[in-house]
C-alpha cells in the first residue's frame, strides 16, 4: 500500500506518521467533523453509530465504535466507547486532545490508560503528512494499549481514511 504508516515508540510515547494524498484542509476536516468521521473512524468491520463532536478547546468528542463484521468472531456486536477532550486547536495545523476509554454516558473507564494526543497536519506539495504523538502516563500504560491491538486498529483506521479521502476528490 502506498504511504504506509510509520510507527515508533519513544519511551511512553507512541508516534505515528503517514502521508495522505489529499489537501491539508480536507484531511483536517476529516478529523474535526462528525459527518466525515462516521465514514472512516475505526478498524475494518467496525462502524461509528454514535459520534457527537464539539470541536473547540474544552469541547468533547464522544463516540461508539461497533463491530459489524461476523468474521471477527468474539468482537462481533462489541461496542467500544471513547471520549476525547480538546485542549488546543490550530486550524488546519494541529489538534491537541486527551483521549479516554469511556462508557455510553461519557464516563471515563477506570483502569484504562488515557493518552495526551498531539496531531500535526503538515502540508507537503498538495499532500498531507500527519504526525500523531500519543503520550501515556507510563511505558506500561502504552504497552497495555499496544497489547490490545492498537497498532493494527490505527493502521486499518488510517487505511480507511486514505480510501475515504480519495472518494471525496
Amino acid at each position: 500500500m502506498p504511504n504506509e504508516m510509520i510507527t515508533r515508540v519513544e519511551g511512553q510515547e507512541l508516534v505515528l506518521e503517514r502521508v495522505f494524498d489529499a489537501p491539508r484542509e480536507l484531511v483536517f476536516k476529516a478529523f474535526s467533523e462528525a459527518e466525515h468521521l462516521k465514514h472512516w473512524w475505526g478498524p475494518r468491520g467496525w462502524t461509528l453509530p454514535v459520534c457527537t463532536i464539539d470541536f473547540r478547546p474544552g469541547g468533547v468528542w464522544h463516540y461508539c465504535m461497533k463491530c459489524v463484521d461476523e468474521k471477527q468472531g468474539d468482537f462481533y456486536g462489541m461496542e467500544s466507547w471513547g471520549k476525547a477532550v480538546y485542549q488546543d486547536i490550530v486550524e488546519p495545523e494541529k489538534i491537541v486532545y486527551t483521549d479516554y476509554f469511556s462508557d455510553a454516558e461519557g464516563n471515563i473507564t477506570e483502569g484504562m490508560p488515557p493518552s495526551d494526543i498531539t496531531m500535526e497536519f503538515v502540508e507537503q506539495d498538495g499532500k498531507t503528512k500527519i504526525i500523531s504523538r500519543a503520550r501515556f502516563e507510563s511505558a506500561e500504560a502504552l504497552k497495555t494499549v499496544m497489547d490490545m491491538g492498537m497498532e493494527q486498529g490505527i493502521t486499518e483506521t488510517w487505511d480507511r481514511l486514505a480510501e475515504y479521502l480519495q472518494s471525496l476528490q
Side-chain angles (χ1 to χ4, degrees), residues 16-28:
L16 309 169
E17 296 182 15
R18 183 165 171 177
V19 176
F20 292 89
D21 189 8
R24 180 167 74 164
E25 288 73 18
L26 180 59
V27 177
F28 189 90

Side-chain angles (χ1 to χ4, degrees), residues 15-89:
V15 182
L16 309 169
E17 296 182 15
R18 183 165 171 177
V19 176
F20 292 89
D21 189 8
R24 180 167 74 164
E25 288 73 18
L26 180 59
V27 177
F28 189 90
K29 278 186 177 187
F31 276 89
S32 61
E33 296 178 5
E35 285 313 305
H36 286 299
L37 286 159
K38 288 176 184 177
H39 290 280
W40 65 270
W41 185 263
R44 294 200 188 279
W46 292 68
T47 61
L48 205 64
V50 177
C51 181
T52 59
I53 192 165
D54 180 9
F55 193 67
R56 62 179 176 79
V60 172
W61 171 33
H62 187 226
Y63 62 91
C64 173
M65 296 186 302
K66 182 171 183 167
C67 183
V68 295
D69 180 2
E70 293 179 8
K71 294 184 199 113
Q72 293 192 22
D74 290 344
F75 290 111
Y76 178 68
M78 178 186 279
E79 291 185 349
S80 179
W81 288 86
K83 175 180 178 176
V85 179
Y86 296 105
Q87 314 297 326
D88 188 26
I89 297 168

Side-chain angles (χ1 to χ4, degrees), residues 30 35-36 39-40 159-168:
E35 285 313 305
H36 286 299
H39 290 280
W40 65 270
D159 286 349
R160 290 181 65 197
L161 171 60
E163 293 159 10
Y164 177 66
L165 291 167
Q166 288 307 302
S167 77
L168 296 176

